[in-house]
Amino acid sequence: QAAGEPDRADSSRWIVTLDGPAGTGKSSVARMVATRLSLTVLDTGAMYRAAALLTIRLSIDPKDGAEIAAAIGVHHIEMDFDVEPANVLLDGRDLGDEIRGSEVESIVSVVAAHPEVRTRLVAVQREIASLHSRLVTEGRDQGSVVFPDADARFFLTASSGVRAKRRVDQLRAMGRDVDPDAVLHGI
């Protein structure tokens, strides 16, 4: 904080964005920043995973962005901030680890790449920010597209080897059998 600047921690609105590719530590940094600044974490990646799970549940072709976006318009993806860390909800139900499964993992990148899907979820993320104005939000395009007027915007990066190791460790901690070479190749 520069001399003469208002104390932003006391401000009613404070949004920090963390952008970057998978495995760069966005979630870990978001939790640390949230703790330090008394903010709430908005995990946008979980929202895209919820959209992928919705795609699976409704038997929508993951390549059909228009149909997925239409489904998001009917089925509500939101966050439950009454728990820590916040959980993503689909039609009011906590999805738990279901959004971290291999079936979701295999299509989430395809689902998230559709402009129509991104437009729908950006609107949801902005609505969340209008209701919870003290956020650290992490994902892709958070500082450049979703919240270009954020109070602070950061882009995290790491080498593909570091990113792959982080992802392998994360998946193994969840009890999943992982091929490190396949994860590196995917990254």
Side-chain angles (χ1 to χ4, degrees):
Q1 174 180 340
E5 278 188 31
D7 181 0
R8 296 300 302 225
D10 292 336
S11 174
S12 63
R13 180 189 184 271
W14 184 250
I15 295 179
V16 176
T17 64
L18 300 173
D19 289 277
T24 57
K26 294 183 302 290
S27 296
S28 299
V29 172
R31 285 189 301 274
M32 288 186 284
V33 169
T35 298
R36 176 77 184 226
L37 299 177
S38 299
L39 303 175
T40 302
V41 176
L42 174 58
D43 179 357
T44 64
M47 298 176 81
Y48 284 98
R49 289 174 175 280
L53 181 61
L54 179 63
T55 300
I56 293 164
R57 286 183 176 176
L58 298 179
S59 301
I60 299 172
D61 181 347
K63 296 177 186 167
D64 190 343
E67 190 172 350
I68 297 166
I72 293 168
V74 173
H75 298 271
H76 301 284
I77 296 174
E78 58 191 332
M79 300 299 293
D80 176 5
F81 292 111
D82 291 335
V83 296
E84 183 62 37
N87 291 329
V88 67
L89 306 176
L90 179 60
D91 293 330
R93 293 195 171 134
D94 181 358
L95 300 175
D97 288 336
E98 196 174 358
I99 61 170
R100 308 281 176 203
S102 58
E103 194 174 11
V104 167
E105 183 83 25
S106 70
I107 68 164
V108 68
S109 293
V110 174
V111 169
H114 296 298
E116 311 96 308
V117 171
R118 296 193 79 74
T119 297
R120 284 273 187 191
L121 289 180
V122 164
V124 172
Q125 292 159 18
R126 288 178 177 158
E127 176 65 21
I128 288 169
S130 75
L131 300 171
H132 303 275
S133 60
R134 295 184 52 78
L135 295 174
V136 57
T137 175
E138 56 103 347
R140 293 186 184 92
D141 302 330
Q142 292 299 294
S144 59
V145 174
V146 184
F147 302 109
D149 62 341
D151 298 285
R153 299 179 299 162
F154 299 93
F155 187 87
L156 304 180
T157 189
S159 71
S160 56
V162 167
R163 292 170 53 210
K165 182 182 180 330
R166 289 179 58 85
R167 186 67 179 140
V168 166
D169 291 347
Q170 180 185 44
L171 292 170
R172 286 183 175 157
M174 293 170 27
R176 303 227 339 244
D177 185 29
V178 182
D179 176 1
D181 291 331
V183 172
L184 179 60
H185 179 72
I187 286 177

